[in-house]
Amino acid sequence: MLGWALTFLVIALIAAFLGFSGVAAASAGIAQILFFVFLVLFVIAMVARAVRGRAP
């Protein structure tokens, strides 16, 4: 998921450089949403790992 966020970020940067403001804004928005979803899932996984403890 982090890879997708980085991909959309690169698309947004290229589109902004070329002057496609609508595409750049949409891609940046998608990248931001994907990044925050990744961050939330990462924190949930870390908390679950800490609560469950080390696997045998």
Side-chain angles (χ1 to χ4, degrees):
M1 188 168 300
L2 188 58
W4 281 103
L6 291 174
T7 302
F8 278 106
L9 178 64
V10 169
I11 290 171
L13 291 174
I14 292 172
F17 179 73
L18 295 176
F20 299 114
S21 60
V23 175
S27 295
I30 292 171
Q32 187 176 14
I33 290 169
L34 287 175
F35 177 75
F36 284 122
V37 169
F38 167 78
L39 197 61
V40 168
L41 290 176
F42 177 72
V43 169
I44 290 172
M46 295 303 289
V47 169
R49 173 81 174 177
V51 169
R52 189 173 50 169
R54 188 174 276 198

